[in-house]
Amino acid sequence: MSFAFALCLVTLMGLAAIGMPIAYAILVSSIAYLWAAGDGIGLAGKILLDGMYGSFILLAVPLFIVAANIMNAGTISDRLLRFCVGLVGRFKGGLGHVNVVASLIFSGMSGSAVADAAGIGKIIIDMMVKSGHYTRGYAAAITAASATIGPIIPPSIPMVLYALVSNTSIGFLFLAGILPGLLMGAVLMAMNWWISHRRKFGVEDPVPMSEMPRLTVEAFPALLMPAILLYGIYGGVTTPTEAAAVAALYALLLAGFFYRALSVRNFYGILVDSARSSAAVGIVIGGALILNYIVASENIPDMMANAMAGLDVAPLTFLLGVNILLLLLGCVLDASTIILVIIPLFIPTCNLLGIDLVHFGVVAVVNCMIGLITPPYGILLFVINAVTRIPLAEIIRDVWPFLGALLIALMALILIPEITLFLPRMFGYQG
């Protein structure tokens, strides 16, 4: 390890330890490396611009953010929730099931766990608490857990970032996320059903079946968005980035003209908020591009791959080890940083061991999403605490069973790659 790289690591860990945002810590530590290595600081700008302008797929990130914010701002979320209440609200733990199903549906529109939790999540928490059948902590915990599904079912911003660092097909990654997302929803609903029986939660008054046609018609245009998105990509009509633009336009037409729930003033606010969110992601991406250049310059990924080859590690053992590491890192780092900075280190080893990169990517993203609800620093826990003012201790106390259920789903994905690869192979994936 060179002195410059050691300085980079010490600077990064030191700045992160004193509380500097990780994106800024990465940028400062990367600049420290370039200075110590005798390279011009202008090289950082060149790496950043080359990486940004050479990655057309990155345009999908702000477009998906805009689409999610428009969905949250209009009455689309309310219509989807009424449809979900009619669909599964009649069962034991009904509003908990509604919470999970709403996240499954909304995940096909937003691609963001935070957008799911802060938008439709706040509404369903209020519904669960006002019903009198659920505690505040339980409502918040299942909302945080179900929001992790958002970036698994397409569209998915984290998978766009993984495609950037792994040169994997974003189309096949999107397809590969569908069954794992449904599995996550199934285990969360099973856990909700079990806890509801154990704690004897009350049952909501069922929506008459005669109301279902009307609720379905109201929600149908919103339910079409995932279908339009997937058809555009897999029907060869659009690229994933163009599909993101179509998703944003469709959300705008739906909220502004069809449902008439979006004013010009609100739309301006949405664009401002989306720009801020996109800029925050962009800073992390920019820092990661420079840091990845440094890691590649130091030949760290190849050194790791050769070390693993020398140890004769089995692919399953490697996968389990990486996932344990990612779970630990997920307690202290956000998903974007893990995907952009940490995961690229393992990709050469995956190639060497014959681990499919689509399978690895989906498992890694699921792992990162679980990290969003892992105490003590799960970002989704803080987001829900901020938007609902429910004490963090209450949320953490009730989130453990759902965290355990998601870990069971993660283990199934690791041990049974076919869950992830079944749909991509149906559409011609040869991995």
Side-chain angles (χ1 to χ4, degrees), residues 43-340:
L43 180 61
K46 180 181 184 303
I47 296 166
L48 206 158
L49 290 175
D50 287 348
M52 290 289 191
Y53 288 110
S55 301
F56 180 65
I57 198 170
L58 282 180
L59 283 175
V61 174
L63 292 169
F64 282 137
I65 290 174
V66 169
N69 288 341
I70 291 173
M71 285 290 187
N72 276 331
T75 61
I76 299 171
S77 299
D78 295 333
R79 295 170 191 271
L80 288 174
L81 274 178
R82 288 197 293 270
F83 171 75
C84 294
V85 169
L87 195 64
V88 296
R90 65 190 71 247
F91 304 112
K92 189 71 172 178
L95 287 181
H97 295 319
V98 169
N99 199 320
V100 177
V101 173
S103 290
L104 282 168
I105 295 173
F106 197 75
S107 64
M109 304 172 193
S110 70
S112 167
V114 172
D116 192 343
I120 203 168
K122 185 179 185 302
I123 302 170
I124 189 64
I125 288 173
D126 290 341
M127 289 174 60
M128 292 180 72
V129 173
K130 287 177 181 177
S131 74
H133 298 152
Y134 308 90
T135 63
R136 295 184 306 172
Y138 185 83
I142 192 171
T143 299
S146 65
T148 61
I149 302 171
I152 309 304
I153 293 178
S156 168
I157 292 173
M159 287 189 189
V160 172
L161 300 181
Y162 175 78
L164 171 70
V165 299
S166 65
N167 291 320
T168 310
S169 164
I170 186 63
F172 287 132
L173 281 170
F174 278 5
L175 266 182
I178 295 175
L179 292 183
L182 294 176
L183 174 64
M184 292 168 69
V187 297
L188 290 177
M189 292 178 74
M191 181 58 69
N192 173 63
W193 179 86
W194 182 75
I195 294 175
S196 296
H197 278 274
R198 187 179 178 188
R199 298 189 186 180
K200 296 181 171 57
F201 289 153
V203 179
E204 283 68 42
D205 295 331
V207 174
M209 291 305 295
S210 59
E211 289 288 303
M212 282 307 297
R214 179 181 62 83
L215 295 175
T216 304
V217 169
E218 287 182 353
F220 185 72
L223 295 172
L224 271 181
M225 179 185 276
I228 292 172
L229 192 71
L230 293 175
Y231 175 75
I233 296 173
Y234 305 115
V237 180
T238 64
T239 65
T241 303
E242 291 165 349
V246 171
L249 177 61
Y250 184 75
L252 177 60
L253 293 175
L254 207 57
F257 297 98
F258 188 82
Y259 290 137
R260 298 185 180 278
L262 187 66
S263 66
V264 174
R265 183 174 181 177
N266 288 342
F267 182 56
Y268 174 76
I270 286 170
L271 292 180
V272 172
D273 289 342
S274 300
R276 288 173 178 160
S277 300
S278 301
V281 176
I283 292 172
V284 176
I285 293 172
L289 288 171
I290 302 171
L291 187 59
N292 288 343
Y293 167 82
I294 292 169
V295 169
S297 298
E298 294 286 327
N299 207 30
I300 303 298
D302 289 339
M303 289 169 58
M304 290 181 61
N306 292 333
M308 288 292 178
L311 293 174
D312 194 25
V313 176
L316 180 58
T317 305
F318 172 76
L319 265 180
L320 290 172
V322 168
N323 275 276
I324 292 171
L325 175 62
L326 293 181
L327 283 171
L328 295 174
L329 290 174
C331 297
V332 294
L333 294 177
D334 65 274
S336 297
T337 303
I338 294 174
I339 292 169
L340 292 168

Side-chain angles (χ1 to χ4, degrees), residues 145 183-184 186-192 370 373 399-412:
L183 174 64
M184 292 168 69
V187 297
L188 290 177
M189 292 178 74
M191 181 58 69
N192 173 63
I370 293 173
I373 63 166
V399 84
W400 293 109
F402 299 110
L403 184 58
L406 290 174
L407 288 175
I408 291 172
L410 175 64
M411 184 59 67

Side-chain angles (χ1 to χ4, degrees), residues 340-363:
L340 292 168
V341 177
I342 306 299
I343 287 177
L345 299 175
F346 302 118
I347 289 175
T349 307
C350 288
N351 288 324
L352 192 67
L353 295 177
I355 296 171
D356 185 88
L357 290 185
V358 169
H359 175 228
F360 178 74
V362 172
V363 167

